[in-house]
Amino acid sequence: MKYVPRAALFLVIPAALFLVPWWVLIYCPVSGPLFWAGTALAVAGYVGLPLAMFRGHGPKQSDPAAIVGDTLLGVMWVLFSWSVVGAVGRTVLILAGVDDPLRSRVVALGVLVVSAALIGWGVVEARRVPRVRTVEVAVPRLGAGLDGLRMVVITDTHFAALDRRRWSERVVAVVNEQRADIACHAGDLADGSVAARRAQVEPLAKVEARLGRYYITGNHEYFGDAPGWITTMTELGWLPLHNQHETLTHNGDRLVIAGIDDPTGSGLPGHGPDLDAALAGADPQLPVVLLAHQPTQVRDAVRAGVALQISGHTHGGQIWPFHYLVRLEQPVVAGLSRHGDHTQLYTSRGTGFWGPQLRVFAPSEITVLVLRAA
């Protein structure tokens, strides 16, 4: 019985994604053979989406099926969202006295044009090398010798079914142009096994950072092989901060950089976030920069007096208006925010994308955090 709700969602969500566009784009504006052809296409999509997603992301992990399912999911989310907007517009036209079929056809055409434009633009935005976003962060108790320290952050690369090794190489080239003192990967490195995705991850071995390269697990590592990815990143020259910290010294001043696991890891022996263990033995007088994949983990950071938490996970919503749903779970969707009296949180919109190769009104980023002595 415990699997019934999950199975129901697997059917109900696609039903909503297809039903609203079907009503706006097919039921209202067209009739005859075109209506039946459109309806058949909607039914085929409704059946095919969960099948492709299950085959692509289920036990068999079929990459072609994952690409088909993810692409269809993204396209239907855009069509669904703008069909809802179109339904509102239809109501406005009714109040304005515009009769059918003109009313319904104007709405349908508008939804199709806007959706097609956003899907095309979203693919370009998702596949491009992210823009660099530079943010200065005043850190209390940061020594003068560390003023101007450059932390380059990438996160949510999600190397997956689409082979993005060349994109990975270009991202590394941009990262190295930023002259990083510290490089960080804040989790969700890849989706799938090390054997299947390692070739896309390997370019990260060429990231340059004078004081160190640090990595933490995200929730998606725990959907696959988190211990394997920790080992792989170690082999590539990165230091996984598996509930641990390092004390960095530069120009005579010191800084603690710590990292904790994603909460999803709690079901795996020896994994799961443990901030107390991560900070054990750290000098309490030094400022702490914490890598924690999910923004919601900032509650523990506030309790521990962390100066700055760096997170990802949200993708900035990735495809508008999904950020409204993300906000129901996370305290922040993107950017720099303050929590409690002494803790700041920077939430990256992510460097890659998950699932649908679309980014709509949520551009990816490579982040340069410049630490300033407050």
Side-chain angles (χ1 to χ4, degrees):
M1 292 296 293
K2 66 181 180 179
Y3 295 107
V4 172
R6 183 177 296 180
L9 286 175
F10 208 58
L11 297 174
V12 170
I13 292 176
L17 288 178
F18 282 92
L19 184 60
V20 176
W22 172 81
W23 183 74
V24 171
L25 301 177
I26 298 170
Y27 178 77
C28 292
V30 300
S31 60
L34 191 58
F35 168 82
W36 291 111
T39 299
L41 183 63
V43 171
Y46 169 67
V47 174
L49 175 59
L51 289 178
M53 293 296 287
F54 179 76
R55 186 167 178 80
H57 298 283
K60 292 189 176 181
Q61 295 277 305
S62 166
D63 282 355
I67 293 171
V68 170
D70 292 345
T71 301
L72 184 56
L73 176 64
V75 168
M76 291 314 302
W77 174 254
V78 174
L79 282 173
F80 168 80
S81 302
W82 287 94
S83 292
V84 171
V85 175
V88 174
R90 190 172 184 273
T91 302
V92 172
L93 292 178
I94 290 174
L95 296 175
V98 179
D99 294 328
D100 263 342
L102 177 61
R103 178 179 64 230
S104 295
R105 290 174 180 174
V106 166
V107 169
L109 180 62
V111 169
L112 283 174
V113 169
V114 171
S115 297
L118 288 178
I119 288 168
W121 177 57
V123 170
V124 172
E125 278 292 297
R127 295 180 66 91
R128 75 187 310 279
V129 175
R131 301 170 182 86
V132 176
R133 187 180 189 195
T134 302
V135 180
E136 293 199 351
V137 184
V139 179
R141 295 184 293 165
L142 187 72
L146 294 168
D147 184 71
L149 190 80
R150 297 173 65 84
M151 299 187 67
V152 178
V153 179
I154 58 175
T155 183
D156 299 281
T157 44
H158 286 284
F159 294 112
L162 286 167
D163 187 353
R164 287 185 289 145
R165 181 182 173 95
R166 291 184 62 189
W167 176 87
S168 180
E169 292 170 344
R170 294 198 296 269
V171 167
V172 169
V174 173
V175 167
N176 287 341
E177 290 172 359
Q178 309 313 309
R179 298 172 287 106
D181 295 304
I182 299 170
C184 305
H185 193 301
D188 279 5
L189 174 67
D191 292 281
S193 68
V194 172
R197 312 298 181 217
R198 181 180 175 116
Q200 298 181 61
V201 175
E202 282 179 341
L204 297 183
K206 297 181 180 179
V207 168
E208 300 169 358
R210 292 190 302 157
L211 302 180
R213 300 176 292 178
Y214 301 96
Y215 160 73
I216 58 167
T217 52
N219 55 310
H220 278 250
E221 280 88 342
Y222 290 104
F223 299 153
D225 180 15
W229 284 117
I230 289 173
T231 299
T232 298
M233 289 297 277
T234 302
E235 293 171 352
L236 296 179
W238 291 67
L239 177 62
L241 293 174
H242 177 39
N243 293 325
Q244 65 192 73
H245 75 272
E246 290 284 307
T247 300
L248 305 181
T249 302
H250 182 61
N251 293 335
D253 285 304
R254 295 185 299 158
L255 171 72
V256 172
I257 180 165
I260 54 176
D261 296 348
D262 186 82
T264 313
S266 298
L268 186 67
H271 289 258
D274 189 340
L275 186 53
D276 291 336
L279 296 179
D283 186 338
Q285 301 303 313
L286 299 180
V288 175
V289 174
L290 174 69
L291 302 183
H293 182 63
Q294 298 196 35
T296 190
Q297 293 174 278
V298 76
R299 290 190 289 266
D300 290 332
V302 169
R303 173 184 57 81
V306 167
L308 173 64
Q309 176 177 312
I310 299 171
S311 299
H313 186 64
T314 68
H315 299 203
Q318 187 165 318
I319 307 175
W320 184 92
F322 197 76
H323 66 286
Y324 290 116
L325 298 179
V326 174
R327 189 63 181 83
L328 296 176
E329 181 191 24
Q330 300 293 334
V332 178
V333 175
L336 187 65
S337 56
R338 182 172 293 277
H339 302 262
D341 295 329
H342 308 291
T343 301
Q344 295 181 85
L345 165 66
Y346 185 82
T347 305
S348 169
R349 290 188 299 252
T351 310
F353 58 86
W354 177 85
Q357 52 177 318
L358 293 171
R359 274 188 173 269
V360 178
F361 304 140
S364 55
E365 64 181 81
I366 295 169
T367 317
V368 180
L369 298 179
V370 182
L371 305 189
R372 292 298 183 187

